[in-house]
Amino acid sequence: MSLSMTRPARIAALRPGPVMLRLLALLGALLLVFALLLGERLFNATAVRSMAFQLPELGILSLAMMIPLLSGGLDLSIIATANLSALAMAFVFTHLGAGQAGMMALACDVAALASGFAVAAAIGLLNGYVIAYLGVSPILATLGSMTMVKGIAIGLTHGNVISGFPAGIVFLGNGSVLGVPMALIVFVLVALPVAVIIGRTPLGAIIAMCGSNQEAVRFSGIDTRRVVLRIYLLSALLSAVAGLVMMARFNSANAAYGESYLLVTILAAVLGGIDPAGGFGKVGGLVMALVILQLISTAANLLGMSQFLTLALWGAILLAVTGVGRLADWLRLRLP
Amino acid sequence: MREMGRGFARSHEARLLLVVVVLGGFLALATPSFASLQNLVDLLTSNAFSGMLAAGLLVVLVSGGIDISFTATASVAQYAAMTVANHSHIGWLGVAAIGAGLGSLLGLFNAVLIGTLRLSSIIVTIATLNLFYGLLMFVTRGDEIFALPDWFVNGASWTVYTDAQQAEYAITLPMLGLVFAFALTAILLKRSNIGRQVYALGSNADAAARVGIPVFRLNLLIYGYMGLIAGLASLVQAQNAQSVSPNALVGRELDVLAAVVLGGASLTGGVGSVFGTILGVMLLAFLQNGLLLLGVPSYWSPCFTGAVILVAVSLLAIERRRQQGRVRRVSA
Amino acid sequence: MANFLELTGISKRFGGVRALSEVDLDLARGEVHCLAGENGSGKSTLIKIVSGVQQPDPGGRIVIDGRAHPHLTPAGSTRLGIQVIYQDLSLFPDLTVAENIAFSRHLGGLHGVDWRAIRADATAVMQRIGIALDPRARVADLAIAQRQLVAICRALAAEARLVIMDEPTASLTRHEVDSLLRLTRALTRRGITIVFVSHRLDEVLEIADRVSVLRDGRKLGTYAAEGMTGRRLGALMTGGDYDYTPSVPDHATAPVVLAVRGLSRPGEFADIGFDLRAGEILGLIGLLGAGRTELALSLFGMRPAASGEIRLHGRAVPIDSNRAAIDHGIAYVPEDRLSLGLVMEQPIGANIVLAILHRLAGRLGLLRTDRRRAAVGEWIARLGIKVADPDNAVRTLSGGNQQRVVLAKWLATGPRVLILDSPTVGVDVSAKDGIYAIVRDLAAAGMAVLLISDEIPEVLYHTHRILVMHAGRITGTFMPGETSEAALREALDA
């Protein structure tokens, strides 16, 4: 925030938007209900820590989904990409890294990460090329690449897991620094730059503008095809980070981890105020939505409810929030 | 019928037909078993479920909407129908009534939400997918039903042909279900005024409302029909699998979508045909079956499927762009 | 009782806003009636009331065929033979011509489709007014003018007795407009009443019987079309008389900014050559299909020319993308403001800085909010854009202010050549004047302006030199002070 900002402007910048207010109200209501139902059982260090361990996977994947959504697109290949790049990393770890020590071990770690991200980048560029240059609708292009990428992963591993990683990787998934889970730190380290890219860079502004009207952006001297290419590249790289975190948490990689997350990431993004038609959305809203979803999940778990009821509640929450919004609109029209 | 014949040679369906025929011919020559009656009957039976769903989804896509929740709808309908069948003798009609009824009900629920929430159909149905499926898994605790009533397990079939080795070839319920779904959808879309309203809605939603199409009621019918087909298809699937598992179907929705889109249906609505959808389903079925018969390890089958989808949607997009360019030149 | 429709004392309020007050209007059988008025004058509200979409406030009377209709519904209005053809035509591009024309056969409860009857209906309607389109063709494969014929046939198929056409000539070539007007005459001979709602009044005045003018929700009067001129009508619509005279400052000594030599693009335009000097407003007029927009897109690098040369300040430069054009100081305001010029849903400020985002980035590539706010503030002030809050969507602005936002976006890039493609289409007469003033000021400050238009008065009164484009070539050069509307019209239609 620069110093030249006038006072009202500064207040305006700090003021939460209507989406944020609605999510805050929902979070408050949920906290109240769960406090009454669970009390101490929810608000203790263990429960909070377990939430902090679980949130990052869905969180990073949702970020990977959010960027294409913001541009008016969609990326169905994020989970497949996460798994294939995790498998690439796992392969290098287990084949080159085993038994190495010192500098060589470090070199192997770097090589493993690099190969994972290279795989992701290739998928992202393929998606971007097919969407931007061939004009295929994002949902169809990524539906195809999702099937193919997952197919490659299954073909290479025959559906088996690759496991056994160096301690550093396991720490990434299960360790903590000063009581804060490493996975959460990774999430923050990823979410902050994404928030900055979307909210504070020319690219972010262009992505949102593209979400509303790509042709008008192209007429303004911006190479929108390269923008689209970057969107799907970014999405794939974020998926690779998610793959790394999942791999670290399970201490194994597999072609089919986290598949149930795919449609949930769209749910989380839309709940977080990202317009599914594109053009509008903030990382802050998405994070709020993730916290709400995680809170429901943990509370349901503590109440002894099945994880599937959580799934149902997630779907219901999105419909309910939208429904309340519509009801408010309707009332505003009726009441002077 | 000349409506269909006109311009067929340069339509998407014609090219797809060519691809399917070439692929089928190649597989028939390259493998001894592909063209065998047994293999074709198996193909028909094992693809009955996804084929029926494709027929239902086609109607939704033509209207300009999309439905992701139909696998959950099918799971719920299947579980409920079989549970009731295990406790009281309701017969084929009873099972079908429960499956179709519950399926349509959940479809109507989708339509009401889409109409009132003004949220895009993809988001609504992703939410209801989670809702239906989550509740089903919660209520059933994920328990499978292994023992189905004898009459259901044995099914009904009409032997039409017995070959030299005394192998019997019969018309089975899954086959009938598949034919029923495609025939009903074809009649609906091509021969009924409601079907033409569906095309009109997908073609230009604003104009549809202006000429007096009751859009909300039409959506009830569209999503209700998808649910009805999903409910019936779920019974076909239960008959094939000889058991019911609440989590066996969810996750297959995008495969069905891929088949319909390969068949030429557009996600923006107004475009798509039953014939194209049949070819789309056939293409994917031939491909998977053929790879297996050619000795390609089954692990690699999804990879090929994905590559074919990617190539096909790319070719479709390139072709559509070329057509648009032509029209723009004409009108300029 | 020769009148088909009589409106008396029609008023309509939306909350505190009076959209219509005490409007009387009568339409005779078989007459062609023009409804003229600026955006917000109440034209659309009046149409909605006649077509039953909206109810007038109590006190108004609607008489159709001598019978009063206190509660007109859309279905009722259709039954009485009232048909509105909106500017977007409301057709179904994926259905056949026959289905579009006879769509009413698809309505009602579940029943089969009688393809034969649908085709027979459609063919009969087309024959009635002498149109021959293939009933089995898909509407998406038709040209715009043919689609309009389909829309008219659909109105006739519904037994229309009053056809209201909203901006029917907007996307037609002169030739197509002529055939539409011929068709209109054929309709009136069958006793059908036609109402044209249009801003390109010169064309429709030719065949209209009477003109009614609306301003601020009131009817100023109904006038005989005979003797009415576009200028007088403009004055009535706006309440101000915009009397322009051609002005031709001398640019002979000013440096040539843009020089074009032998520019061609097969199938679009050929051998285009002209000079554009600093401070000059060069008009380029041509009919739809003459290649004017295609030429502009090539100058702007969106569809690079196949051969020829573009020189800026005497140096030949390759313009192979619009980025290159912008970097060389060329700006282009497209004709289609809604879909190409602006991102309507997004904030005004975001639109203004869209083309200069890279310049607003500071260290680390982050957008500097102070620079952004300064740029937005500067251009809102310099172009006098009436804005409550720059964070509001562009959609919330009037047509004239939207056009200023597009101009602001381009002026912010610091161009030396400004290409304006039909800059006042869909802009009110009064707002037009503001845009002309801005263009004049820019030219006075040394900007080289290429103003593309298909409206003769626009180039005659607001440019310094006029090039006429026909069938992809420049066929004539005129000086505004030494020519007339008639001479230009002749050159255009040649």
Side-chain angles (χ1 to χ4, degrees):
Chain A
M1 221 78 355
S2 84
L3 289 173
S4 67
M5 209 177 204
T6 55
R7 213 179 119 73
R10 194 181 310 213
I11 292 167
L14 294 174
R15 191 178 58 205
V19 174
M20 256 330 211
L21 281 179
R22 221 161 56 200
L23 290 172
L24 276 171
L26 179 62
L27 183 63
L30 285 173
L31 282 174
L32 195 69
V33 170
F34 291 144
L36 290 174
L37 284 176
L38 289 163
E40 285 289 296
R41 283 165 63 205
L42 182 63
F43 301 102
N44 64 51
T46 321
V48 171
R49 260 172 62 85
S50 93
M51 279 194 255
F53 267 111
Q54 285 164 19
L55 182 130
E57 280 164 43
L58 179 61
I60 301 171
L61 286 168
S62 299
L63 287 171
M65 183 62 89
M66 174 193 180
I67 297 175
L69 272 181
L70 197 58
S71 75
L74 191 70
D75 188 351
L76 294 175
S77 69
I78 51 172
I79 309 282
T81 307
N83 284 326
L84 188 63
S85 43
L87 283 168
M89 294 185 220
F91 183 82
V92 177
F93 275 133
T94 49
H95 284 74
L96 296 181
Q100 305 278 12
M103 282 306 285
M104 278 308 286
L106 188 67
C108 286
D109 287 0
V110 172
L113 293 180
S115 56
F117 282 98
V119 166
I123 301 167
L125 290 174
L126 174 72
N127 280 337
Y129 176 80
V130 172
I131 294 164
Y133 291 87
L134 301 183
V136 179
S137 83
I139 186 169
L140 299 182
T142 57
L143 174 60
S145 64
M146 169 189 91
T147 315
M148 193 174 77
V149 168
K150 187 186 170 193
I152 294 173
I154 292 176
L156 290 173
T157 63
H158 294 191
N160 297 325
V161 298
I162 301 183
S163 56
F165 303 125
I169 295 299
V170 179
F171 179 73
L172 195 64
N174 301 293
S176 304
V177 175
L178 301 174
V180 181
M182 266 310 287
L184 189 67
I185 295 175
V186 172
F187 174 66
V188 173
L189 286 179
V190 171
L192 274 179
V194 171
V196 170
I197 288 175
I198 287 174
R200 280 296 152 87
T201 64
L203 179 65
I206 290 168
I207 291 175
M209 297 293 269
C210 277
S212 294
N213 183 345
Q214 201 172 315
E215 269 305 277
V217 176
R218 191 167 74 89
F219 266 76
S220 303
I222 290 152
D223 187 345
T224 47
R225 297 202 280 198
R226 258 183 52 204
V227 172
V228 171
L229 204 64
R230 284 200 218 168
I231 288 167
Y232 289 89
L233 180 61
L234 255 171
S235 169
L237 293 177
L238 286 168
S239 305
V241 177
L244 178 65
V245 170
M246 279 200 283
M247 176 177 91
R249 233 166 80 74
F250 301 140
N251 195 12
S252 66
N254 178 271
Y257 279 156
E259 283 189 329
S260 59
Y261 280 143
L262 178 58
L263 298 175
V264 174
T265 59
I266 300 175
L267 213 70
V270 175
L271 182 64
I274 285 112
D275 187 337
F280 300 91
K282 293 201 171 77
V283 171
L286 178 65
V287 172
M288 283 288 290
L290 288 167
V291 169
I292 288 171
L293 294 181
Q294 188 57 55
L295 185 69
I296 293 173
S297 170
T298 305
N301 191 25
L302 288 172
L303 286 168
M305 296 192 286
S306 99
Q307 49 156 329
F308 292 104
L309 194 62
T310 306
L311 215 53
L313 279 175
W314 286 356
I317 279 281
L318 177 69
L319 295 174
V321 167
T322 320
V324 168
R326 288 287 164 266
L327 199 66
D329 291 349
W330 185 79
L331 283 176
R332 213 169 305 140
L333 278 178
R334 288 300 153 105
L335 307 172
Chain B
M1 277 332 268
R2 281 168 68 192
E3 229 87 6
M4 279 176 165
R6 265 180 55 86
F8 177 75
R10 52 190 175 88
S11 69
H12 172 73
E13 282 87 344
R15 259 170 293 147
L16 193 59
L17 179 64
L18 189 71
V19 172
V20 171
V21 167
V22 168
L23 180 64
F26 167 75
L27 290 174
L29 293 175
T31 69
S33 46
F34 177 77
S36 74
L37 199 52
Q38 187 57 54
N39 187 52
L40 294 178
V41 166
D42 286 350
L43 263 181
L44 206 56
T45 309
S46 56
N47 285 286
F49 174 62
S50 50
M52 291 178 76
L53 291 176
L57 185 58
L58 171 68
V59 177
V60 181
L61 289 190
V62 168
S63 80
I66 192 168
D67 190 342
I68 300 286
S69 68
F70 55 81
T71 49
T73 303
S75 301
V76 172
Q78 188 183 50
Y79 207 96
M82 293 326 328
T83 306
V84 175
N86 264 340
H87 288 93
S88 57
H89 191 75
I90 52 174
W92 289 105
L93 272 182
V95 172
I98 294 176
L102 201 53
S104 341
L105 215 60
L106 296 183
L108 293 177
F109 183 65
N110 278 331
V112 169
L113 288 178
I114 291 165
T116 52
L117 295 186
R118 277 180 285 143
L119 200 57
S120 64
S121 52
I122 186 166
I123 303 298
V124 167
T125 54
I126 286 176
T128 54
L129 167 73
N130 285 295
L131 186 63
F132 299 161
Y133 178 58
L135 284 176
L136 177 70
M137 290 297 282
F138 172 65
V139 170
T140 64
R141 294 193 195 81
D143 293 342
E144 295 189 29
I145 307 176
F146 291 110
L148 299 180
D150 285 342
W151 54 270
F152 189 85
V153 169
N154 296 332
S157 60
W158 297 267
T159 304
V160 286
Y161 175 72
T162 311
D163 71 7
Q165 282 82 42
Q166 296 304 307
E168 290 186 351
Y169 298 100
I171 290 179
T172 57
L173 283 173
M175 292 182 202
L176 287 180
L178 186 61
V179 171
F180 171 77
F182 277 125
L184 190 63
T185 306
I187 292 169
L188 177 76
L189 285 181
K190 201 74 198 173
R191 296 270 145 199
S192 84
N193 67 318
I194 299 293
R196 303 318 289 170
Q197 290 184 22
V198 174
Y199 276 96
L201 178 65
S203 201
N204 185 344
D206 290 338
R210 272 185 196 156
V211 299
I213 294 178
V215 176
F216 186 78
R217 285 209 316 248
L218 191 58
N219 268 330
L220 286 178
L221 192 127
I222 291 163
Y223 291 90
Y225 183 75
M226 169 85 249
L228 177 126
I229 295 286
L232 292 177
S234 76
L235 301 178
V236 162
Q237 199 274 341
Q239 232 261 317
N240 272 344
Q242 301 280 308
S243 71
V244 167
S245 161
N247 57 4
L249 307 179
V250 170
R252 289 169 68 174
E253 52 281 338
L254 295 179
D255 301 338
V256 177
L257 177 66
V260 184
V261 170
L262 281 187
S266 156
L267 285 182
T268 48
V271 180
S273 69
V274 170
F275 184 50
T277 306
I278 293 174
L279 291 174
V281 175
M282 274 171 81
L283 178 61
L284 289 184
F286 280 15
L287 192 74
Q288 275 155 17
N289 183 244
L291 288 169
L292 205 68
L293 296 178
L294 287 170
V296 177
S298 66
Y299 302 116
W300 284 103
S301 159
C303 177
F304 281 97
T305 309
V308 165
I309 296 174
L310 209 51
V311 169
V313 292
S314 298
L315 291 177
L316 259 176
I318 291 168
E319 175 64 21
R320 220 159 259 169
R321 227 198 241 180
R322 202 177 300 154
Q323 263 176 15
Q324 272 166 8
R326 204 165 56 222
V327 171
R328 207 170 301 140
R329 263 199 300 286
V330 168
S331 55
Chain C
M1 198 200 66
N3 284 339
F4 173 71
L5 174 92
E6 286 172 8
L7 302 177
T8 335
I10 298 292
S11 301
K12 181 75 186 172
R13 264 175 186 287
F14 295 104
V17 185
R18 217 163 212 221
L20 283 176
S21 50
E22 299 289 324
V23 171
D24 301 341
L25 183 73
D26 58 88
L27 300 172
R29 285 206 179 79
E31 98 167 306
V32 179
H33 199 109
C34 278
L35 196 56
E38 298 209 294
N39 292 334
S41 62
K43 281 180 307 188
S44 357
T45 311
L46 195 62
I47 296 174
K48 282 180 184 149
I49 286 174
V50 172
S51 58
V53 176
Q54 276 165 3
Q55 301 300 317
D57 293 340
R61 236 170 94 83
I62 303 176
V63 177
I64 298 168
D65 260 342
R67 273 195 54 199
H69 292 272
H71 297 292
L72 205 56
T73 62
S77 161
T78 309
R79 242 191 333 273
L80 291 163
I82 296 171
Q83 287 284 325
V84 183
I85 300 176
Y86 292 95
Q87 200 179 351
D88 65 14
L89 302 180
S90 294
L91 294 174
F92 303 113
D94 298 305
L95 300 190
T96 62
V97 167
E99 280 183 276
N100 269 283
I101 293 176
F103 196 85
S104 57
R105 277 193 179 268
H106 282 331
L107 295 174
L110 178 65
H111 58 78
V113 180
D114 187 347
W115 289 104
R116 201 184 302 259
I118 284 173
R119 267 200 298 278
D121 280 8
T123 313
V125 171
M126 287 194 282
Q127 272 169 359
R128 245 197 283 165
I129 52 171
I131 293 171
L133 290 174
D134 180 358
R136 296 194 189 90
R138 240 166 39 109
V139 165
D141 297 332
L142 301 182
I144 301 283
Q146 293 174 313
R147 291 185 201 184
Q148 194 167 45
L149 296 180
V150 175
I152 292 171
C153 287
R154 182 166 71 188
L156 293 182
E159 298 302 327
R161 300 175 58 209
L162 166 63
V163 180
I164 303 173
M165 296 193 219
D166 191 8
E167 299 286 2
T169 60
S171 43
L172 299 188
T173 66
R174 179 70 216 181
H175 182 70
E176 288 163 346
V177 171
D178 285 341
S179 48
L180 174 70
L181 297 185
R182 267 199 306 280
L183 180 60
T184 307
R185 269 184 216 112
L187 295 178
T188 52
R189 274 198 295 276
R190 305 179 139 277
I192 296 172
T193 307
I194 308 283
V195 172
F196 280 124
V197 183
S198 176
H199 74 280
R200 275 159 69 164
L201 302 149
D202 298 2
E203 293 169 347
V204 251
L205 277 177
E206 289 172 27
I207 63 151
D209 297 300
R210 294 188 298 162
V211 189
S212 290
V213 180
L214 290 178
R215 194 204 302 163
D216 300 331
R218 290 176 189 281
K219 194 179 90 168
L220 289 185
T222 297
Y223 312 88
E226 186 124 20
M228 177 62 83
T229 63
R231 191 180 140 206
R232 175 146 172 256
L233 209 50
L236 285 169
M237 279 158 60
T238 57
D241 194 354
Y242 293 96
D243 185 9
Y244 298 113
T245 48
S247 68
V248 188
D250 187 15
H251 297 292
T253 57
V256 172
V257 181
L258 173 73
V260 177
R261 294 289 177 270
L263 211 63
S264 301
R265 196 176 144 94
E268 295 183 351
F269 53 85
D271 200 26
I272 302 290
F274 61 85
D275 286 343
L276 176 56
R277 292 171 186 274
E280 187 181 24
I281 306 175
L282 178 63
L284 177 71
I285 188 162
L287 302 172
L288 200 72
R292 50 189 163 95
T293 296
E294 289 80 357
L295 172 63
L297 288 176
S298 285
L299 293 175
F300 189 53
M302 301 287 289
R303 293 157 72 167
S307 59
E309 205 174 57
I310 298 174
R311 279 185 234 153
L312 282 162
H313 297 286
R315 218 157 48 86
V317 289
I319 303 285
D320 51 7
S321 70
N322 65 346
R323 187 72 254 165
I326 294 166
D327 290 343
H328 283 105
I330 300 176
Y332 171 64
V333 175
E335 174 177 3
D336 194 345
R337 189 167 56 235
L338 301 178
S339 62
L340 302 179
L342 291 167
V343 185
M344 302 296 280
E345 298 79 17
Q346 295 279 348
I348 297 155
N351 271 278
I352 291 178
V353 298
L354 180 55
I356 55 163
L357 279 170
H358 54 287
R359 280 194 228 155
L360 301 178
R363 271 176 305 139
L364 301 170
L366 298 190
L367 278 179
R368 294 265 307 260
T369 40
D370 53 337
R371 283 193 205 165
R372 185 184 182 282
R373 191 170 312 104
V376 171
E378 177 193 344
W379 288 105
I380 286 179
R382 277 179 66 175
L383 293 187
I385 307 173
K386 291 189 189 68
V387 173
D389 180 348
D391 286 337
N392 287 349
V394 175
R395 196 163 19 88
T396 59
L397 296 177
S398 68
N401 276 313
Q402 286 174 5
Q403 188 61 291
R404 286 170 194 235
V405 173
V406 191
L407 277 171
K409 175 174 80 177
W410 286 115
L411 294 177
T413 66
R416 285 168 299 182
V417 177
L418 180 62
I419 305 173
L420 302 169
D421 197 348
S422 311
T424 60
V425 163
V427 172
D428 288 341
V429 178
S430 44
K432 270 185 187 179
D433 189 57
I435 289 169
Y436 294 141
I438 292 172
V439 173
R440 259 198 314 275
D441 291 348
L442 286 170
M447 180 83 74
V449 180
L450 179 64
L451 194 157
I452 301 171
S453 180
D454 61 348
E455 290 187 47
I456 289 169
E458 183 154 288
V459 291
L460 188 61
Y461 299 115
H462 304 287
T463 70
H464 303 149
R465 189 155 58 98
I466 302 166
L467 304 176
V468 174
M469 201 166 171
H470 187 85
R473 289 173 183 275
I474 289 178
T475 53
T477 306
F478 294 82
M479 298 306 284
E482 303 157 14
T483 187
S484 63
E485 291 199 24
L488 280 173
R489 161 102 39 225
E490 200 174 313
L492 266 183
D493 292 344

